[in-house]
C-alpha cells in the first residue's frame, strides 16, 4: 500500500476513534501533526476528501457527547463530574461520591437519606428512587431539599443506562446537586421570555418541583385535564417536549440569572454580581461585576484559556482601591450567545463593541485584558479610537508574524495555527474533542499540566486549591459556550494580527512575567521595540497566572496605567 494511503487510513481510524471516544484525542493529534509535518494536506479546501470525513466525525461526536458509557467504574463517573455528585443504589446507599459532594454537604455520607433531616424530604428522595426503577417512568427525577446545615439544593437524579460490569441497567443512580432552581429572578425571566401566563408559570413551578398532576390538582383546585393542557402550553412555549427538558432549561436559567449578595463564599472568594445585556440583533451577553460595588468601572476582557475568575486576594485589592471590573463573557464563551459566524468572531466583536460600551454605561476609557484578550482590546481600539483611551494587558501574547516565530511556540500551539490555515473544520473538531476530553478530571489535569508545566511560578500556584479552581472554571467557560468562541479565536490568535496593534492610537501597556512560557517577555519586548505606543513591563518570577501569584504587582500596574491614560473615567462614579 502506498505511503499516502497508509497515512490516510491511520488518520481516518484516529479521527473516528476520537469522535466516538474523546479520550483518543491525542492519538488523532499525533496523526494530524505528522501529516502536517510532511505537508500532506497542502492545497486542502472545502472539496478535499478529509472535509466530508471531518463533518461526519463532528456529527458522531455531537450525538455521543453526553453519554456516560466511556467510564469503566462508578468512582470514575463521579470523579469526572465538576458539580457535587454521588452514585446511589436502589436502597439509597451511597456507593461513590466526589470531593465536591463531600464539600457541599460537609462530610461523607453513607446514605442519600442522611443529607436531610426532614422526614418529608426523605420521603421525596425515596419516592424519586422508586420512580427511577419503575419502567414506565422517566429516567430522571428532581428533588428539592434542605441539608442538615440549612442550605437549599436540588438533587438531579438520573438512572444510569449501564452497569460498569456490562450488565444493562444495574440499578445505579447518579445524583448531582444544584442550587435552589426557583428564585424570583428565574420566575420573572421565564414568564417574560416565554410569555407564560400566571397559571402556566404556577404549573411550571409545580412540575419542576417533581409533583404529579394529581398532587398539583389537589393543592391548586384545578383539574388534571386543565393542568395537562397548561403543561403542554408551557412545553410548546419553552420549546421542550417533556418535564425532564423543562427542568433542564430552568436549571440553566438558574445558573444564568442567579444573583449574589456580594458576600464571601466558602473559599473566601467574593461572589460575583451577574449582569446581562441584550444586543440590537437579539443576542444576549452575560458577565460578572467583580471588585468594589460602586467603584471605578472598567471592561475586563478574558483570553482563550484564562477567563475572568479572580482569586480572593486580587478581588480584595480591587475593592480596597475602589475598582470595579466588568467581566464580560465574550460571544461564544460561558453564558453568552455565540457569534453569528464563528469564523468572524473578531470582526463581529469590533462591530458590536460600541453597543456593548453604551449598554454598560461606559462612554470612553481604558480596557483591561488578560492573555489573548489583548487582541480584542486592540482591535476595538483601532476601529473605535474615541472609545478607548488605553489598554492595560496582563500576561498578553503578541501576533505571530513569521513561521520562524511560530516554531518557537510549544508544539500544541503550532498545531492550532497550522490547522487553522489548513482546515477550519479540522480545527473545530480538534477543539471540541479536546474540550470534551479536558472537561474530565483526567483530561483537564493533563491540559493544565501541559499549559503551565514550564513555569515554576504557575506550577507552585496550582498547588493552591483556590487558584486551581479558578483555572478549572476558566476552562469550563470554553465548553459552556458551545466552543464557537474558542474555535473561532484560535483561527486568528496563532497568526498575524499585528495590524490591530499598529493601527491603535492609544497606549498599550503590557505586564508580562519573566517565567511566562506561553508568551516569553522577550518576545513582547522584541515586538514592541519599534512601536513607541507599546510598552512592556516585567514581573520577576511570574508566569501566565500572575493575577493569582502577584496580585499586588498587577494592581500597581493597573493604577499606573489609569493614571497615565487620558484621565476620563469609564463612568461617572
Amino acid at each position: 500500500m502506498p505511503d499516502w494511503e497508509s497515512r490516510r487510513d491511520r488518520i481516518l481510524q484516529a479521527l473516528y476513534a476520537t469522535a466516538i471516544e474523546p479520550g483518543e484525542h491525542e492519538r488523532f493529534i499525533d496523526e494530524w501533526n505528522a501529516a502536517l509535518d510532511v505537508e500532506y494536506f497542502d492545497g486542502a479546501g472545502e472539496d478535499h476528501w478529509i472535509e466530508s470525513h471531518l463533518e461526519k466525525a463532528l456529527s458522531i461526536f455531537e450525538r455521543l457527547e453526553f453519554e456516560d458509557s466511556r467510564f469503566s467504574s462508578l468512582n470514575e463517573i463521579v470523579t469526572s463530574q465538576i458539580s457535587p455528585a454521588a452514585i446511589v443504589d436502589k436502597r439509597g446507599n451511597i456507593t461513590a461520591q466526589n470531593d465536591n459532594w463531600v464539600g457541599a454537604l460537609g462530610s461523607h455520607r453513607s446514605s442519600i437519606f442522611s443529607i436531610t433531616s426532614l422526614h418529608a424530604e426523605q420521603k421525596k428522595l425515596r419516592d424519586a428512587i422508586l420512580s427511577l426503577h419503575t419502567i414506565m417512568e422517566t429516567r430522571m427525577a428532581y428533588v428539592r431539599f434542605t441539608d442538615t446545615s440549612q442550605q437549599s439544593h436540588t438533587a438531579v437524579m438520573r438512572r444510569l443506562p449501564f452497569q460498569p460490569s456490562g450488565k444493562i441497567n444495574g440499578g445505579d443512580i447518579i445524583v448531582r446537586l444544584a442550587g435552589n432552581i426557583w428564585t424570583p429572578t428565574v420566575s420573572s425571566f421565564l414568564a417574560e421570555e416565554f410569555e407564560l401566563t400566571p397559571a402556566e408559570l404556577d404549573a411550571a413551578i409545580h412540575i419542576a418541583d417533581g409533583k404529579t398532576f394529581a398532587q398539583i390538582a389537589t393543592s391548586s383546585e384545578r383539574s388534571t385535564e386543565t393542568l395537562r393542557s397548561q403543561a403542554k402550553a408551557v412545553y410548546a412555549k419553552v420549546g421542550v417536549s417533556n418535564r425532564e427538558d423543562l427542568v433542564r432549561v430552568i436549571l440553566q436559567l438558574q445558573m444564568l440569572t442567579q444573583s449574589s449578595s456580594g458576600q464571601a463564599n466558602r473559599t473566601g472568594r467574593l461572589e460575583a454580581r451577574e449582569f446581562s445585556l441584550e444586543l440590537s440583533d437579539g443576542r444576549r451577553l452575560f458577565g460578572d461585576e467583580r471588585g468594589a460595588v460602586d467603584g471605578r468601572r472598567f471592561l475586563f476582557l478574558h483570553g482563550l484559556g484564562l477567563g475572568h475568575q479572580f482569586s480572593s486576594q486580587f478581588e480584595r485589592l480591587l475593592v480596597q482601591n475602589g475598582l470595579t471590573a466588568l467581566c464580560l463573557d465574550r460571544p461564544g464563551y460561558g453564558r453568552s450567545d455565540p457569534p453569528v459566524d464563528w469564523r468572524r468572531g473578531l470582526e463581529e466583536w469590533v462591530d458590536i463593541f460600541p453597543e456593548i460600551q453604551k449598554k454598560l454605561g461606559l462612554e470612553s476609557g481604558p480596557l483591561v485584558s488578560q492573555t489573548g484578550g489583548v487582541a480584542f482590546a486592540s482591535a476595538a481600539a483601532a476601529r473605535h479610537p474615541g472609545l478607548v483611551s488605553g489598554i492595560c494587558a496582563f500576561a498578553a501574547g503578541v501576533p505571530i508574524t513569521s513561521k520562524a516565530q511560530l516554531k518557537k511556540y510549544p508544539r500544541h500551539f503550532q498545531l492550532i495555527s497550522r490547522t487553522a490555515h489548513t482546515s477550519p473544520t479540522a480545527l473545530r473538531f480538534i477543539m471540541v474533542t479536546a474540550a470534551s476530553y479536558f472537561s474530565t478530571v483526567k483530561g483537564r489535569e493533563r491540559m493544565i499540566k501541559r499549559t503551565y508545566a514550564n513555569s515554576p511560578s504557575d506550577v507552585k500556584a496550582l498547588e493552591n486549591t483556590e487558584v486551581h479552581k479558578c483555572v478549572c472554571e476558566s476552562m469550563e467557560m470554553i465548553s459552556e459556550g458551545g466552543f464557537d468562541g474558542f474555535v473561532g479565536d484560535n483561527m486568528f490568535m496563532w497568526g498575524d494580527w499585528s495590524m490591530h496593534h499598529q493601527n491603535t492610537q492609544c497606549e498599550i501597556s503590557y505586564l508580562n512575567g519573566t517565567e511566562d512560557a506561553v508568551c516569553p517577555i522577550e518576545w513582547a519586548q522584541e515586538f514592541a521595540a519599534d512601536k513607541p505606543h507599546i510598552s512592556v513591563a516585567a514581573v520577576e518570577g511570574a508566569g501566565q497566572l500572575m493575577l493569582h501569584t502577584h496580585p499586588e504587582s498587577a494592581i500597581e500596574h493597573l493604577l499606573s496605567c489609569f493614571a497615565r491614560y487620558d484621565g476620563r473615567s469609564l463612568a461617572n462614579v
Side-chain angles (χ1 to χ4, degrees), residues 209-365:
D209 280 344
K211 295 180 181 178
T212 65
F213 288 130
Q215 291 171 325
I216 302 172
T218 300
S219 62
S220 65
E221 298 183 352
R222 282 175 283 180
S223 68
T224 55
E225 290 76 14
T226 298
L227 289 168
R228 291 182 189 279
S229 176
Q230 290 172 343
K232 289 181 180 179
V234 170
Y235 296 160
K237 289 182 178 181
V238 178
V240 298
S241 57
N242 53 47
R243 179 193 300 256
E244 174 186 325
D245 290 340
L246 174 65
V247 175
R248 184 178 295 112
V249 169
I250 294 170
L251 284 169
Q252 292 170 343
L253 288 176
Q254 187 264 350
M255 289 187 290
L256 289 175
T257 61
Q258 60 186 349
S259 59
S260 141
S261 63
Q263 300 298 313
N265 59 23
R266 293 182 181 182
T267 67
R269 292 164 62 191
L270 296 176
E271 294 287 356
R273 303 173 294 278
E274 186 177 72
F275 65 83
S276 64
L277 55 93
E278 183 172 341
L279 301 179
S280 57
D281 62 6
R283 282 184 293 165
R284 284 191 173 88
L285 303 181
F286 293 83
D288 295 318
E289 184 179 294
R290 300 180 183 275
V293 175
D294 295 312
R296 180 183 183 183
R297 303 164 73 235
F298 61 89
L299 186 59
F300 183 93
L301 302 179
H302 64 79
L304 278 69
L306 273 182
H308 44 63
Q309 290 71 24
F310 298 154
S311 67
S312 56
Q313 189 175 5
F314 185 78
E315 285 207 53
R316 290 192 182 99
L317 288 172
L318 288 174
V319 173
Q320 290 171 14
N321 288 277
L323 299 173
T324 304
L326 301 180
C327 305
L328 186 72
D329 293 0
R330 289 191 281 104
Y333 284 90
R335 301 152 292 181
S336 292
D337 288 341
V340 175
D341 182 351
W342 59 273
R343 296 172 179 81
R344 297 187 66 257
L346 183 63
E347 291 84 353
E348 287 188 20
W349 163 259
V350 172
D351 291 339
I352 64 177
F353 177 73
E355 186 177 3
I356 291 174
Q357 288 281 86
K358 182 177 181 180
K359 288 184 177 293
L360 291 177
L362 309 178
E363 294 182 0
S364 177

Side-chain angles (χ1 to χ4, degrees), residues 19 21 94 154 188 228 293 330 378 404 428 453 469 545:
E21 171 48 75
I94 297 177
T154 296
S188 175
R228 291 182 189 279
V293 175
R330 289 191 281 104
S378 64
R428 184 171 179 81
K469 183 177 181 180
L545 303 177

Side-chain angles (χ1 to χ4, degrees), residues 36-53:
L36 292 177
D37 284 342
V38 297
E39 300 180 345
Y40 186 71
F41 295 111
D42 267 20
E46 294 183 0
D47 58 346
H48 195 275
W49 62 263
I50 191 64
E51 290 297 315
S52 62
H53 287 287

